[in-house]
Amino acid sequence: EQTVLNADPSIEVQMKNSNDDVLPMNSFREALAATIESCSQSDDEQQSDDNNVHDEYNCEIPIESIVAELRFIAQQSKLWISGGGVHTAATSTTAGDATSPSKIYNTHVIIDEKGKITSFYHKIHLFDVSIPGKVNLKESNTTAPGQTLVVCDSPIGKLALTICYDMRFPEMYVELVQRGGAEVILMPSAFTVPTGIAHWHALLRARAIESQCYVIAAAQVGRHNEKRKSYGHSLAYDPWGELLADAGGYENDSQDGGGDELSPVNVPSIVTCDIDLDLVQSVRERMPIQQHR
């Protein structure tokens, strides 16, 4: 919202409903949806002008949350979307802490091509660290931990839903495969630059190899403020640990994104890869570690 409001030159943010009334609208979401749709189509499909959407999202204004925006983009681009983490309300009862009714969940949502939320996961592993005299960070002060592992069906196989810090707990992924039958693991994340350089690629490749799943990790990239940068490098690995895609990001801790630039890569950055479930089966047959646990 701030980006749109402060744009120079200004961005027209309006649309009309069936009564020809002008309504506020975030035009960025339309541009992003069109970009995603274009990237997903063949050359022949891109020649079609029949890209209009006639449904509830055309006039569901104002859009009040990022989840509603993602639902619109999924529907307009006719693609499934994995979005996270998104802050969602946690009641004192579900959070298990009657003294903190304002806590939230860090949530990963799966949205189908019709804009329907098909599944969601609340982040289980919260990042709490306290080093006297140096740092005191406790995600649990504001966030309630989830309690349930989630695997859902999709057109590209069984999706395991996780978030960021979860990736440091391999036993979680054993359960997602053994009990849930996971074939593709999703890990939306926001790593700092130092931890990204040290661990990001290694952790994701390890999870792919040991789970014998595809691993897809969307990653925030760029400078949030003067003190914080996110590493980037959205990655995809296959079940054998081969790198399939890397959207780019910071390459070293001193890189500042080009002076005044907010990001070392052009954003939004979109990369694609193929998912072959036969490869999952082949890798598991040739290296039957799931049967040996």
Side-chain angles (χ1 to χ4, degrees), residues 123 125-128 163-169 189 191:
K123 184 183 178 188
H125 299 99
L126 304 183
F127 185 71
D128 286 3
I163 297 176
C164 202
Y165 188 53
D166 285 332
M167 72 178 65
R168 293 184 180 273
F169 301 88
S189 303
F191 262 45

Side-chain angles (χ1 to χ4, degrees), residues 58-124:
N58 283 69
C59 293
E60 188 180 307
I61 301 295
I63 298 298
E64 296 179 350
S65 75
I66 190 172
V67 174
E69 295 288 337
L70 292 174
R71 293 177 67 188
F72 175 92
I73 292 171
Q75 192 175 59
Q76 182 151 320
S77 61
K78 301 179 182 64
L79 295 173
W80 285 50
I81 287 181
S82 155
V86 178
H87 291 166
T88 57
T91 65
S92 58
T93 301
T94 58
D97 185 355
T99 63
S100 302
S102 61
K103 281 191 174 182
I104 51 90
Y105 284 125
N106 191 344
T107 303
H108 182 171
V109 297
I110 299 296
I111 304 168
D112 69 15
E113 80 284 1
K114 296 179 181 178
K116 177 184 177 182
I117 297 174
T118 66
S119 192
F120 63 89
Y121 158 77
H122 298 315
K123 184 183 178 188
I124 292 174

Side-chain angles (χ1 to χ4, degrees), residues 250-269:
Y250 292 101
E251 301 301 334
N252 57 69
D253 199 11
S254 63
Q255 183 180 354
D256 63 3
D260 293 333
E261 292 182 0
L262 296 179
S263 169
V265 297
N266 292 327
V267 293
S269 177

